[in-house]
Amino acid sequence: MTDLQTRTAPPRAGALRRAAPALLGYAAVRALGLLVLVLWSAARDKSAYTLLTARWDALWYVRVAELGYGYEVRLPNGDVHSNLAFFPLLPWLERLVAAVSPLSYADGGFVVSLVASLAAAWGIFAVADHVYGRRAGVCAVLLWAVLPVGIVQSMAYSESLFTALAAWSLYAVLTGRWVTAGALALAAGLTRPVGTAVVAAVWAAAIASFVAERRALSAGRADSGAGAPGGPAGRAPSPAGRVTGMLLAPLGTAGYVLWVGHRTGTGPLGYLDVQAGWRNGFDGGRAFAGFVADKFTSFPSALAGAGLVLGVASVVWLYAVGVRQRQPLPLLVHSGVVTLLALCASSYFGSKPRLLMPAFPLLLPLALLLARARPRRSAGVLGFLAVVGAVYGAFWLNGSGPP
């Protein structure tokens, strides 16, 4: 595995100018998706805004913001859907927006998601630009924008907020800002259960940095810090900073999980019982494999099954390519943990594409291909995917939508 990239980050104003093409392209793709959604919804006599802010998980986040924790729904089959399953950072931000403006909690969720999606796009660009260069950074952002489930980035969901925190935490690791990386990982851990992926990335990078430094010292190299991963070029990374970042990183996830266990009286892992009430858990992918296998019992559904197999194979292939291309360790750890948790969850199979959305390093091999192609060809591919994604997003939300 290669060492982390150790170039210093550009000044903030220069970084924004450098990211401007990616952010403008991202905004254009999202605007296209929203326009198609508005037109499609109007044709079906539905409200596009309601689809974005007041259905599925968005309703649960609003209930947390409005009522606090403790709301639950008991289903006829005995299952208990508790709002304790939803991590608190997005509802907190919804409350904040509602407190300082005339907007409702649902409006606040929409505003937070729009702002967070731009922050996520900038963070993805920063990471890809740092590792592979500006063109690859632009292509990575646009690929993330044109994902078939990209419309979720504009919904009052937590995916955009989490991806923004994860991307900037990873960038902080790559540029040696360990305390910032840990603080952002803490916030990511208050956003979604998969915040453990960011924690794992911070810890893996810090441990690798310590190991590389010790090896350098044992080899008697006077410049041991300059070549060690995790610090700006020419300056040894601070052990205290790394340790502080490692200590901060897990506090968000651990704090909320322990609080849920205390509140429910079910012990430190009580959050797992809450998830079990939603029939969700980690089973190593057994339930998902059975779900895919069932698709092959008849011809029409076999096509969907083949598509699922191809999709999973593509994800695994992209990860393998990232390993072969020697992506920095924290990127591989983050995308690996996100992918593992998404594919091995025991329920909500239709949600897996959006659960994979924060694993943006998976897109970097494709971004490199597009960056190396002729600009006209890359623009054509991305433009086509943007149209397909916009149409699919409108169709999806006006149909079954994300559960």
Side-chain angles (χ1 to χ4, degrees):
M1 207 66 61
T2 58
D3 287 349
L4 303 187
Q5 304 296 313
T6 56
R7 298 191 304 274
T8 55
R12 188 171 302 174
L16 180 56
R17 286 196 298 270
R18 187 172 178 84
L23 298 180
L24 291 173
Y26 177 80
V29 172
R30 291 272 42 85
L32 174 64
L34 292 174
L35 175 62
V36 173
L37 175 64
V38 168
L39 295 176
W40 193 299
S41 301
R44 294 174 60 86
D45 199 25
K46 291 184 178 181
S47 166
Y49 190 70
T50 297
L51 295 177
L52 293 169
T53 63
R55 292 186 69 185
W56 307 294
D57 288 8
L59 285 175
W60 286 91
Y61 284 117
V62 166
R63 289 189 185 111
V64 174
E66 182 178 9
L67 305 174
Y69 284 108
Y71 177 86
E72 62 184 29
V73 174
R74 294 184 177 273
L75 304 183
N77 65 358
D79 289 345
V80 178
H81 287 185
S82 168
N83 67 357
L84 288 167
F86 296 88
F87 277 50
L89 185 55
L90 178 57
W92 287 348
L93 293 176
E94 290 177 340
R95 282 185 181 178
L96 177 62
V97 173
V100 300
S101 73
L103 299 177
S104 67
Y105 295 126
D107 297 333
F110 183 66
V111 170
V112 170
S113 291
L114 286 184
V115 174
S117 67
L118 286 171
W122 191 0
I124 292 169
F125 171 82
V127 169
D129 176 35
H130 186 84
V131 179
Y132 294 120
R134 188 182 192 186
R135 287 193 64 186
V138 173
C139 292
V141 169
L142 294 179
L143 283 170
W144 191 68
V146 303
L147 288 173
V149 292
I151 191 64
V152 174
Q153 298 162 18
S154 300
M155 297 179 67
Y157 272 38
S158 60
E159 272 77 11
S160 289
L161 178 61
F162 176 79
T163 304
L165 294 167
W168 283 109
S169 179
L170 293 172
Y171 180 70
V173 169
L174 293 175
T175 54
R177 294 171 168 85
W178 291 100
V179 176
T180 299
L184 290 170
L186 186 159
L190 288 170
T191 307
R192 296 187 63 80
V194 76
T196 51
V198 191
V199 177
V202 172
W203 273 65
I207 292 171
S209 180
F210 279 120
V211 170
E213 202 171 60
R214 177 172 288 255
R215 286 177 178 172
L217 289 172
S218 65
R221 284 164 40 187
D223 61 340
S224 59
R235 179 165 58 103
S238 164
R242 274 175 286 175
V243 171
T244 301
M246 293 176 73
L247 293 176
L248 284 173
L251 294 183
T253 301
Y256 182 69
V257 168
L258 291 174
W259 178 81
V260 169
H262 173 74
R263 180 184 175 96
T264 59
T266 52
L269 299 181
Y271 182 77
L272 299 180
D273 296 329
V274 172
Q275 286 282 17
W278 288 77
R279 293 187 177 266
N280 199 18
F282 186 90
D283 66 355
R286 180 179 177 181
F288 183 46
F291 173 78
V292 174
D294 288 343
K295 295 293 183 182
F296 291 94
T297 57
S298 63
F299 173 71
S301 63
L303 296 177
L308 289 171
V309 171
L310 180 61
V312 172
S314 298
V315 169
V316 174
W317 176 77
L318 286 172
Y319 187 80
V321 172
V323 173
R324 290 200 302 270
Q325 291 179 343
R326 301 173 70 82
Q327 279 185 17
L329 177 64
L331 303 189
L332 291 174
V333 171
H334 171 74
S335 57
V337 174
V338 171
T339 301
L340 185 68
L341 293 177
L343 295 183
C344 294
S346 60
S347 189
Y348 298 100
F349 306 118
S351 297
K352 294 193 182 297
R354 71 174 176 88
L355 297 180
L356 285 167
M357 191 180 299
F360 67 88
L362 293 174
L363 300 172
L364 295 184
L366 299 178
L368 272 176
L369 284 177
L370 288 174
R372 292 167 179 169
R374 293 180 178 179
R376 182 175 297 180
R377 179 172 298 178
S378 299
V381 170
L382 291 167
F384 173 75
L385 292 176
V387 172
V388 172
V391 172
Y392 180 78
F395 167 77
W396 193 40
L397 287 194
N398 277 277
S400 60

